[in-house]
């Protein structure tokens, strides 16, 4: 069967398997790249021993190679993959909820809300898990605030949602910066600055455990909701006449996405436009059916951020580029192009 | 087996939109709702498909209050073709029509062979079988309207609600659509603008004015020159065809003293 994309829709299954394989290869290759190159074979053998207990523990379970591969590089690469999956899928979900391909956790202000939550926690002298939790609560509250703002004066429209998102983004960003300014905490300020630019440098296994758990469950949950997400794209009234309760669904999906984004922001800072670019590309190739869109976007998003992080590590000799800067440099023009194309189409239709 | 609207009152943004409207559609019949712009036709229809909640009164489907049904239960009974069919991003015609099967689907359940068969039949019923793989945003307004009808047909519900179904359609497709809808073994309530189309196909008409029913009955009872003048402020000539159905021609009302105006000009 052919779908709405450039490629045959029936190819999505094999493509998914291919992407899963590519993701595993990318993880190995990305761990191998660094100041000391490590052959992929060694990376996989270490991973096999650490994950499944296969192989020779005395060779792969300790020593310098183990430290570099398993304790330093692997957490970082795995975090990049997890965040990429999470942000892409949240982008897909928000686009369905808002019925607009321009939505993204960053653009709707959910990332900024999470950032503000974490900054407030920092200002109050809380650290670690409390900051992560505050990030989730912040993202959560920002989602609710965006919905409430967009609902002012009646029906939610895409334009009102985008405006509410950018307004909220500005408010949260300013409030977070104010918090940092008032508390005069240089260390905190440096940490927050890193957060606004995004990066995977702070990765560790304990943090990754939570992140991967939430991402995995979130992606599976949204995949299971493919039909409801498809119905939501028809609009509130049509979804209702086809048996969906759109209001409660929309709330459930936004809140789930907020938890996923909150944890991503806590672990890796604000990384924009991934949730915009990846779903857009997948839609172009395979059409808008969420049965295909969710898994394909998750895998592609993971692969994308793994390689974006590699690029950030090697592009400046002796230094590291924050990954949020790279995604914004690539993603913002895509956003503008999408906006321009859309406006042109709208004019043509009017 | 009937659809009953009982004394429905609706207030939107502080303004009364419907004031105690009652309407009944017998099983298998086709009821047309006509009336001037802003008379509450679409609002009445939207109360019938649960998008608007009446302040007073209720809608009963086969004797059951609509408000006590879940969205899913209601969707198995009622299919709707709304006036504005937003065009979702990146969806094919076939994918849209398959969404009509959603009220019967459990979580995680995909489209079965039977669903595809039903969707294909719905598409050929509206004459879009050749466009199944086309993207919705490449269709014309009329094709989109027919795709929305195909989606409603795939729902296989005993009640079909249509809001200006012949909007965007040329005369040939208007008649084709009305013939198709008339031949369906379902109860139809349709908001319509065209008197003649309404008179040709509807068993009963309900004429709305200012949020109330101005007249209800057979087309010949409702479409009289006096009623049309009262409600629409236009003159009308009405004939009855050999089946006793009215044929209406509307003329502008000449304002009093228009002769003196033209003399001055």
């Amino acid at each position: 069967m052919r779908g709405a994309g450039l490629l045959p829709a029936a190819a999505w299954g094999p493509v998914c398997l291919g992407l899963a394989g590519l993701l595993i290869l990318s993880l190995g290759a990305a761990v191998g790249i660094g100041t000391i190159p490590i052959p992929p074979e060694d990376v996989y053998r270490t991973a096999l021993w650490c994950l499944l207990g296969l192989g020779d523990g005395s060779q792969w379970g300790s020593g310098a190679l183990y430290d570099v591969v398993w304790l330093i590089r692997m957490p970082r690469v795995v975090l990049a993959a997890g965040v990429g999956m999470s942000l892409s899928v949240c982008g897909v979900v928000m686009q369905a909820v808002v019925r607009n391909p321009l939505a993204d956790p960053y653009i709707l202000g959910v990332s900024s809300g999470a950032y503000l939550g974490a900054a407030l926690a920092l200002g109050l002298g809380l650290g670690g898990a409390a900051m992560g939790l505050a990030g989730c609560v912040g993202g959560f509250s920002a989602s609710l605030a965006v919905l409430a703002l967009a609902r002012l004066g009646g029906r939610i429209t895409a334009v009102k949602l985008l405006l509410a998102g950018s307004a909220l983004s500005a408010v949260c960003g300013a409030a977070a910066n104010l918090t940092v300014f008032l508390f005069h905490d240089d260390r905190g300020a440096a940490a927050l600055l890193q957060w606004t630019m995004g990066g995977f440098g702070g990765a560790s296994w304990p943090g990754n455990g939570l992140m991967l758990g939430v991402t995995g469950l979130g992606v599976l949950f949204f995949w299971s909701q493919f039909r409801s997400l498809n119905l939501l794209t028809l609009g509130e009234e049509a979804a209702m006449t086809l048996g969906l309760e759109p209001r409660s669904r929309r709330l459930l999906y936004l809140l789930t996405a907020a938890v996923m984004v909150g944890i991503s922001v806590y672990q890796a800072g604000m990384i924009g436009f991934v949730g915009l670019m990846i779903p857009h590309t997948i839609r172009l190739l395979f059409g808008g059916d969420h049965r295909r869109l969710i898994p394909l976007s998750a895998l592609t998003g993971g692969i994308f951020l793994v390689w974006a992080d590699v690029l950030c590590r090697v592009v400046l000799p002796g230094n590291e580029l924050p990954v949020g800067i790279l995604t914004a440099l690539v993603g913002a023009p895509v956003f503008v192009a999408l906006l321009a194309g859309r406006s042109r189409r709208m004019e043509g239709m009017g | 087996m009937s659809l009953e609207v009982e004394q429905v009152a609706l207030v939107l943004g502080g303004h009364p939109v419907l004031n105690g409207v009652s309407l009944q559609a017998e099983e298998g019949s086709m009821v047309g709702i006509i009336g001037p712009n802003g008379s509450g036709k679409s609002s009445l229809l939207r109360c019938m498909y649960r998008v608007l909640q009446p302040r007073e009164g209720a809608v009963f489907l086969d004797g059951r209050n609509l408000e006590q049904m879940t969205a899913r239960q209601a969707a198995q009974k009622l299919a709707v073709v709304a006036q504005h069919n937003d065009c979702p991003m990146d969806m094919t015609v076939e994918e849209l029509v398959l969404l009509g099967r959603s009220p019967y689907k459990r979580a995680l359940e995909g489209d079965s062979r039977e669903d595809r068969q039903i969707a294909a039949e719905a598409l050929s019923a509206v004459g879009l079988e050749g466009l199944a793989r086309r993207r919705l945003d490449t269709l014309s307004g009329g094709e989109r309207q027919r795709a929305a009808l195909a989606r409603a047909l795939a729902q296989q519900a005993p009640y079909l609600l249509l809001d200006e179904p012949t909007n965007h359609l040329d005369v040939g497709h208007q008649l084709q659509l009305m013939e198709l809808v008339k031949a369906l073994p379902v109860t139809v309530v349709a908001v319509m603008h065209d008197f003649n189309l309404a008179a040709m196909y509807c068993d009963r008409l309900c004429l709305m004015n200012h949020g109330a029913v101005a007249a209800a009955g057979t087309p010949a009872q409702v479409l009289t020159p006096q009623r049309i003048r009262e409600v629409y402020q236009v003159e009308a000539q009405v004939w009855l065809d050999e089946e006793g159905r009215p044929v209406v021609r509307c003329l502008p009302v000449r304002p009093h003293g228009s002769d003196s105006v033209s003399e001055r000009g």
Side-chain angles (χ1 to χ4, degrees):
Chain A
M1 190 185 85
R2 236 173 60 79
L6 297 171
L7 296 178
W12 79 274
V15 170
C16 256
L17 287 179
L19 286 174
L22 192 60
L23 180 62
I24 291 170
L25 289 179
S26 299
L27 290 174
V31 168
I33 295 170
T35 36
I36 316 157
I38 298 167
E41 197 200 336
D42 292 3
V43 176
Y44 290 121
R45 278 176 181 269
T46 309
L48 275 181
W49 195 87
C50 292
L51 287 173
L52 304 170
L54 296 177
D56 181 2
S58 60
Q59 194 185 346
W60 306 111
S62 58
L65 183 72
Y66 168 81
D67 287 349
V68 172
V69 168
W70 193 251
L71 297 182
I72 298 172
R73 291 192 191 165
M74 192 61 105
R76 174 177 184 139
V77 173
V78 167
L79 177 64
V83 169
M85 287 186 166
S86 192
L87 292 180
S88 299
V89 169
C90 289
V92 170
V93 169
M94 287 179 181
Q95 285 149 22
V97 166
V98 185
R99 303 184 56 228
N100 191 315
L102 299 176
D104 157 69
Y106 193 73
I107 291 159
L108 285 193
V110 179
S111 299
S112 303
Y115 170 52
L116 174 60
L120 284 175
L122 195 74
L124 293 171
L126 304 169
M131 268 168 77
L133 187 66
C136 288
V137 173
F140 215 84
S141 320
S143 306
L144 287 182
V146 163
L147 269 186
L149 273 175
R151 198 173 277 155
L152 284 181
R155 200 158 279 278
I156 293 182
T157 66
V159 174
K160 280 202 281 182
L161 254 166
L162 289 180
L163 281 177
S166 51
L168 203 74
S169 227
V171 169
C172 288
N177 291 340
L178 181 69
T179 311
V180 178
F181 181 77
L182 287 179
F183 286 94
H184 289 297
D185 181 343
D186 290 343
R187 242 172 353 105
L192 279 181
L193 183 65
Q194 269 192 342
W195 250 357
T196 60
M197 296 190 292
F200 305 112
S204 68
W205 280 121
N208 275 1
L210 178 70
M211 161 80 210
L212 290 179
V214 169
T215 301
L217 288 177
V219 171
L220 287 179
F221 169 68
F222 283 129
W223 196 7
S224 77
Q225 301 295 306
F226 67 88
R227 189 175 285 276
S228 304
L229 289 166
N230 285 343
L231 286 174
L232 279 180
T233 63
L234 295 182
E236 191 171 322
E237 283 197 10
M240 211 181 245
T241 65
L242 288 167
L244 194 75
E245 305 276 6
R247 284 171 200 148
S248 56
R249 284 303 164 111
R250 192 153 55 191
L251 207 61
L252 174 67
Y253 294 164
L254 277 186
L255 294 184
T256 310
V259 171
M260 293 169 73
V261 173
I263 289 180
S264 283
V265 169
Y266 168 59
Q267 295 283 333
M270 294 212 286
I271 299 169
F273 302 102
V274 177
L276 188 84
M277 285 185 285
I278 304 296
H280 178 68
T281 312
I282 302 297
R283 267 206 194 89
L284 215 59
L285 295 175
F286 292 95
D289 187 346
H290 288 82
R291 195 174 337 205
R292 308 187 284 263
L293 202 47
I294 298 270
L296 289 170
S297 296
L299 292 168
T300 314
I303 295 168
F304 174 77
L305 271 194
V306 165
W307 287 106
D309 182 50
V310 168
L311 191 63
C312 286
R313 277 187 281 150
V314 300
V315 72
L316 298 178
N319 205 341
E320 230 177 66
L321 189 69
V323 75
I325 293 182
L326 182 78
T327 61
L329 280 177
V330 182
V334 173
F335 179 65
V336 173
L338 273 175
L339 199 62
R342 201 180 143 78
S343 313
R344 254 204 313 277
R345 263 217 315 276
M346 301 275 251
E347 255 167 48
M349 276 155 71
Chain B
M1 289 289 281
S2 67
L3 185 152
E4 281 168 86
V5 178
E6 274 189 21
Q7 291 296 321
V8 161
L10 175 74
V11 177
L12 288 179
H15 300 285
V17 177
L18 297 172
N19 310 308
V21 174
S22 296
L23 180 151
Q24 198 173 6
E26 295 295 338
E27 184 181 357
S29 71
M30 180 153 172
V31 175
I33 304 175
I34 54 175
N37 294 333
S39 58
K41 304 182 298 287
S42 291
S43 298
L44 177 61
L45 205 70
R46 288 165 89 188
C47 286
M48 290 186 217
Y49 62 83
R50 288 167 43 106
V51 168
L52 296 176
Q53 268 78 44
R55 169 172 284 193
E56 286 166 34
V59 178
F60 295 91
L61 272 185
D62 301 341
R64 267 188 82 189
N65 190 334
L66 196 61
E67 276 184 52
Q68 282 156 12
M69 296 181 167
T70 63
R72 197 178 151 85
Q73 288 168 337
Q76 294 180 359
K77 291 257 181 206
L78 268 179
V80 181
V81 180
Q83 194 174 353
H84 300 290
N85 289 295
D86 292 324
C87 178
M89 6 178 212
D90 313 305
M91 197 182 272
T92 63
V93 175
E94 187 183 32
E95 286 169 346
L96 176 78
V97 176
L98 279 168
L99 281 181
R101 303 300 300 154
S102 300
Y104 304 99
K105 293 287 160 186
R106 289 187 305 272
L108 298 178
E109 196 178 341
D111 304 313
S112 65
R113 186 186 295 261
E114 192 196 348
D115 293 327
R116 286 181 197 289
Q117 184 63 34
I118 290 168
E121 282 164 15
L123 276 171
S124 64
V126 300
L128 285 183
E129 59 273 45
L131 300 185
R133 307 287 157 83
R134 280 272 292 278
R135 278 171 59 127
L136 286 170
D137 54 5
T138 65
L139 300 187
S140 71
E143 287 166 339
R144 246 178 248 175
Q145 186 78 3
R146 287 188 281 151
L149 179 66
R151 192 199 73 206
L153 295 182
Q155 223 168 316
Q156 294 189 325
Y159 295 95
L160 182 60
L161 304 183
L162 308 168
D163 198 349
E164 295 189 29
T166 55
N167 227 357
H168 305 298
L169 298 183
D170 61 50
V171 147
H173 283 117
Q174 285 186 9
L175 292 171
Q176 192 190 349
L177 183 137
M178 294 307 291
E179 287 289 333
L180 164 68
V181 169
K182 184 78 186 171
L184 293 171
V186 300
T187 309
V188 182
V189 178
V191 167
M192 301 187 71
H193 263 305
D194 187 322
F195 292 148
N196 291 315
L197 217 50
M200 271 172 77
Y201 288 101
C202 295
D203 302 301
R204 294 178 68 80
L205 289 182
C206 170
L207 175 62
M208 306 261 311
N209 196 21
H210 300 305
V213 178
T218 63
Q221 287 167 339
V222 172
L223 292 172
T224 61
Q226 303 90 293
R227 286 255 168 62
I228 293 174
R229 190 184 315 119
E230 277 164 31
V231 172
Y232 287 88
Q233 278 88 48
V234 296
E235 290 299 329
Q237 296 171 335
V238 179
W239 300 272
L240 294 181
D241 67 9
E242 54 269 38
E243 286 176 38
R245 291 182 179 272
V247 178
V248 182
R249 179 207 271 165
C250 294
L251 305 161
V253 175
R254 306 223 176 275
H256 296 294
S258 62
D259 291 347
S260 58
V261 171
S262 62
E263 271 170 18
R264 247 179 268 153

